[in-house]
Amino acid sequence: MSRCKYLSKHAPTMHPKKYTRRSALRIIGLTSLACLANPLNAFASSSPMHSPAAGGHTDGKGDIERRLIGQGLIDVQTADPLLLVDLKYARSNNFMGENVYGDLRKCYLHPEPALMLKKAHARLHERNPDLKLLLLDGVRPRSVQQRMWEMVKNTPMQPYVANPVRGSMHNYGAAVDVTIARADGTPLDMGTGVDHFGILAQPREEQRFLREGKLSPEQVMNRKILRNAMLEAGFQPLAIEWWHFNAFDKGTTRRRYAIIE
């Protein structure tokens, strides 16, 4: 008798009905029922293609994001999923010309500023249902602030970037850079782009530029729509940047929070 025929004849009889899903898992060496839904998961840990790099994580969050969560900050879209987010320093078309946020794509703040932002969004939507807030920056680690400072110190742009020694309100997770966009994500015309380091971006000079024709009535109105929504939620504007708003005054922020490194 051949070996194959012997094995076939003497193989033990299987009784499928006697096996539960959990006992079947033990037989094939899997550890969870979830593996049955997606068998490839069972081999993820042993396959080089699926193995996380040394020090990596399988929850989809990068190191910066995990540090922010560990320090009590939250993704603003968990407070209001309808907010739009496009972090300007997570792409290369910013004043530094490079992505300095790595794989971070979500906007993080401390919980109270995040809830204030939700309120501002609601106020905007009440008056302008077709418009949304578009977040361009939230918390900014001081390491990024240092890189910005090195680029602008001793230049005409220096007044627009806080010295990292004291820190920007962004470094505390209590400030946002924000504009308004239509439902499709197209930003409204504010007269300048974000991070326009020049006097035309300064709210305190808007009426003069309106008289001189350097800003149009529509551009000034768009800025006012943004400012009104943020002010009604308790944010404080910055006199030299139409896009920047602090959740609290500097003293309150520094008493409540620590700088995010």
Side-chain angles (χ1 to χ4, degrees):
M1 182 180 294
S2 72
R3 175 179 175 84
C4 292
K5 290 181 179 180
Y6 178 87
L7 292 174
S8 175
K9 182 177 180 179
H10 295 280
T13 303
M14 303 297 288
H15 300 284
K17 293 183 180 180
K18 294 181 180 180
Y19 287 84
T20 65
R21 295 181 77 193
R22 202 164 295 282
S23 63
L25 287 171
R26 286 196 297 271
I27 289 172
I28 61 177
L30 302 183
T31 58
S32 72
L33 292 171
C35 294
L36 292 180
N38 185 358
L40 288 177
N41 289 343
F43 307 101
S45 62
S46 61
S47 168
M49 181 176 291
H50 296 282
S51 297
H57 305 283
T58 59
D59 59 3
K61 294 180 173 62
D63 289 338
I64 293 179
E65 194 168 357
R66 294 174 69 86
R67 290 206 317 268
L68 298 178
I69 293 171
Q71 295 178 75
L73 284 78
I74 66 170
D75 171 5
V76 298
Q77 288 177 315
T78 63
D80 184 350
L82 298 180
L83 288 165
L84 301 178
V85 174
D86 180 18
L87 298 183
K88 59 186 173 180
Y89 300 127
R91 40 187 170 82
S92 60
N93 58 332
N94 54 58
F95 82 93
M96 292 182 289
E98 59 180 302
N99 171 6
V100 292
Y101 277 175
D103 56 6
L104 180 66
R105 295 294 181 272
K106 297 178 180 179
C107 180
Y108 277 80
L109 292 172
H110 280 289
E112 187 174 350
L115 291 176
M116 292 169 62
L117 197 57
K118 178 180 180 179
K119 182 178 179 181
H121 201 199
R123 292 291 182 270
L124 172 67
H125 192 71
E126 286 170 4
R127 299 187 181 94
N128 304 274
D130 60 329
L131 300 180
K132 293 187 174 185
L133 292 181
L134 171 59
L135 277 298
L136 304 167
D137 201 22
V139 67
R140 183 188 306 153
R142 181 152 57 178
S143 57
V144 175
Q145 191 75 23
Q146 181 66 44
R147 293 177 68 177
M148 291 182 177
W149 179 251
E150 292 299 326
M151 293 187 70
V152 304
K153 68 179 181 180
N154 301 321
T155 76
M157 296 188 295
Q158 181 172 317
Y160 296 90
V161 177
N163 189 320
V165 174
R166 287 283 283 168
S168 160
M169 296 299 98
H170 283 287
N171 304 150
Y172 290 87
V176 292
D177 290 345
V178 59
T179 189
I180 296 175
R182 304 194 186 280
D184 64 359
T186 304
L188 297 190
D189 183 2
M190 299 291 185
T192 75
V194 173
D195 281 357
H196 174 86
F197 295 150
I199 194 171
L200 196 61
Q202 298 184 8
R204 62 189 176 187
E205 300 291 344
E206 286 171 357
Q207 293 307 309
R208 174 164 71 90
F209 288 134
L210 181 60
R211 291 192 302 271
E212 295 174 356
K214 295 178 181 178
L215 288 175
S216 71
E218 179 186 3
Q219 292 165 342
V220 172
M221 180 56 65
N222 289 341
R223 293 187 186 188
K224 286 183 177 178
I225 292 172
L226 172 62
R227 206 152 49 231
N228 288 342
M230 298 298 284
L231 286 170
E232 288 181 23
F235 282 95
Q236 302 176 7
L238 198 62
I240 62 172
E241 296 175 354
W242 60 257
W243 57 84
H244 180 103
F245 294 86
N246 295 326
F248 318 106
D249 63 78
K250 292 182 179 180
T252 299
T253 296
R254 289 180 174 128
R255 286 193 301 271
R256 289 189 183 186
Y257 307 124
I259 285 184
I260 305 299
E261 300 293 348

